[in-house]
Amino acid sequence: MAQRTLARYLTEAQHDKGCIPANLKFLIEVVSRACQAISIAIGKGGLGGVLGEAGSDNVQGEAQKKLDVLSNEMLIEANEWGGHLAGMASEEMDLPHLVPHRFPKGEYLLTFDPLDGSSNIDVNVSIGTIFSVLKCPEGADLSTPEAAQAAFLHPGTAQVAAGYAVYGPTTLLVLSVGDGVAVFTLDREQGQFVLTQEDVQIPADTKEFAINMSNQRFWEAPVQRYVDEMVAGKTGPLGKDYNMRWVASMVADVHRIMTRGGIFMYPKDLRDPNKPGKLRLMYEANPMSLLVEQAGGKSFDATQRILDIQPTDLHQRCAVMLGSANEVQRVSDRHLT
Ligand code: P6P
């Protein structure tokens, strides 16, 4: 059977299921080509002069890697001319990037973390791009970047598409337009993404958890108790041994869970009561939560569904507990007792 490329998959979804308007199909293809170009830049590593620090900090006060800045620029340049977007927001930019007046404006808003896990770049561990697509509200005030921020502030349930690219031994694009999750593998000879898995399903149970254990003393009691129970294994109340993984690239940890199940947690850290978590709602937690739910998993901030959170700030953080439905439900229930 002929390979089903991303373009064919999107065309079929557009015609057969009517779930992808033409401009959304175009947007996803443009993002996929930007991810392809990012994959090539990353692949050059030290040979391409793209490793190391950029010498600047992002809005989060985090030192930017050269590839953080490059990936951000690649996504901006790929998307601003096509007439499908009204604006873009990124982890690497304080304010939204509005489509320049010289280009046509479209109906969608794109948020992204252009290169997630960038602390892993220089040690050659998998990293990724995370993106989320929203409809721009009718009559939104896009007169200035400051004013435009409000147009982005929708709960995750309003996303019309979400996905990530994971730059690992292979480069994969994992995508949902609200009709399940599909996985595409980059065929470097052909220079295009080819469908390699459809209708991803996360197993409801797991024996694998992902968390940064070095923060254990700063977690809230329910999370401490839950992790202690998993570490106790067969000798504890859960009656089974668990394994632990922590790549410190959300995309890599989430992709493992999409592939074989598991629970990923970046819980609230009591060191800074003003920071509900480390991960960002709009371009990390929300897109990943849509994908996980579309694959039969769950995603809570502890007690509430992440996709239901009403954002108040473009860069707000939230606690994240996502993955195998029964395991996520268990840790959420720990907060109610
Ligand atoms: P820590 C990467 O910096 C990131 O945003 C996520 O990709 C990852 O899951 C997390 O932070 C790792 O955080 O505290 O373990 O370095």
Side-chain angles (χ1 to χ4, degrees):
M1 179 181 174
Q3 287 189 325
R4 289 171 70 197
T5 60
L6 174 65
R8 177 169 173 176
Y9 174 87
L10 294 173
T11 302
E12 289 169 355
Q14 183 184 3
H15 292 160
D16 302 353
K17 301 178 186 169
C19 61
I20 305 186
N23 259 344
L24 180 57
K25 173 173 172 290
F26 180 73
L27 163 53
I28 294 168
E29 287 177 331
V30 168
V31 170
S32 75
R33 281 195 291 275
C35 292
Q36 204 173 311
I38 292 169
S39 174
I40 291 166
I42 289 168
K44 290 186 176 127
L47 300 176
V50 293
L51 296 184
E53 305 293 323
S56 52
D57 286 355
N58 65 14
V59 60
Q60 335 287 345
E62 295 157 346
Q64 289 176 306
K65 301 282 190 183
K66 287 178 189 166
L67 274 170
D68 283 323
V69 176
L70 181 61
S71 305
N72 192 61
E73 287 165 357
M74 291 164 88
L75 280 159
I76 297 279
E77 285 161 18
N79 278 287
E80 65 177 355
W81 51 266
H84 51 288
L85 283 184
M88 291 175 251
S90 163
E91 178 172 65
E92 301 304 328
M93 303 184 303
D94 186 11
L95 295 171
H97 176 87
L98 298 177
V99 172
H101 293 302
R102 67 183 181 282
F103 295 132
K105 277 194 172 44
E107 61 194 305
Y108 294 112
L109 297 171
L110 179 67
T111 70
F112 48 82
D113 180 357
L115 205 56
D116 176 71
S118 45
S119 63
N120 280 326
I121 295 172
D122 298 344
V123 295
N124 201 35
V125 169
S126 298
I127 47 185
T129 298
I130 310 172
F131 66 92
S132 166
V133 184
L134 295 162
K135 289 288 288 285
C136 186
E138 290 291 328
D141 177 359
L142 302 176
S143 54
T144 65
E146 291 77 4
Q149 295 178 89
F152 287 80
L153 301 181
H154 304 278
T157 46
Q159 293 173 105
V160 294
Y164 60 81
V166 47
Y167 310 112
T170 64
T171 287
L172 303 178
L173 181 76
V174 180
L175 172 72
S176 179
V177 292
D179 183 35
V181 177
V183 181
F184 301 84
T185 301
L186 179 60
D187 178 331
R188 296 187 187 280
E189 276 83 34
Q190 287 190 62
Q192 53 187 350
F193 281 100
V194 177
L195 182 70
T196 43
Q197 189 181 353
E198 210 167 357
D199 195 22
V200 172
Q201 291 297 318
I202 299 175
D205 292 299
T206 184
K207 293 181 179 176
E208 203 157 58
F209 68 96
I211 195 165
N212 182 335
M213 290 294 285
S214 69
N215 298 325
Q216 185 169 29
R217 62 190 184 283
F218 303 121
W219 302 333
E220 294 180 313
V223 177
Q224 298 227 17
R225 190 162 61 245
Y226 171 64
V227 173
D228 287 347
E229 289 174 4
M230 289 191 291
V231 172
K234 276 200 180 71
T235 65
L238 300 181
K240 61 180 181 178
D241 289 339
Y242 281 74
N243 194 14
M244 200 206 91
R245 288 283 182 276
W246 188 249
V247 183
S249 276
M250 185 185 197
V251 174
D253 280 313
V254 169
H255 188 68
R256 185 187 58 255
I257 290 167
M258 297 294 280
T259 306
R260 67 185 191 212
I263 180 168
F264 170 95
M265 291 175 283
Y266 212 107
K268 181 172 180 178
D269 182 316
L270 297 176
R271 275 174 288 192
D272 182 349
N274 298 320
K275 255 171 74 174
K278 174 179 183 183
L279 300 175
R280 309 288 170 176
L281 178 62
M282 297 304 293
Y283 38 78
E284 290 174 330
N286 268 345
M288 289 311 201
S289 298
L290 177 72
L291 290 163
V292 164
E293 287 200 3
Q294 283 287 318
K298 289 190 175 182
S299 182
F300 291 164
D301 70 349
T303 54
Q304 75 168 316
R305 190 173 169 234
I306 286 178
L307 292 180
D308 289 335
I309 296 175
Q310 173 55 53
T312 54
D313 179 84
L314 200 50
H315 298 291
Q316 74 184 67
R317 302 170 191 264
C318 70
V320 178
M321 299 174 194
L322 60 76
S324 292
N326 294 343
E327 210 60 57
V328 174
Q329 192 60 54
R330 191 198 317 274
V331 64
S332 179
D333 291 347
R334 287 284 180 285
H335 289 76
L336 306 178
T337 51

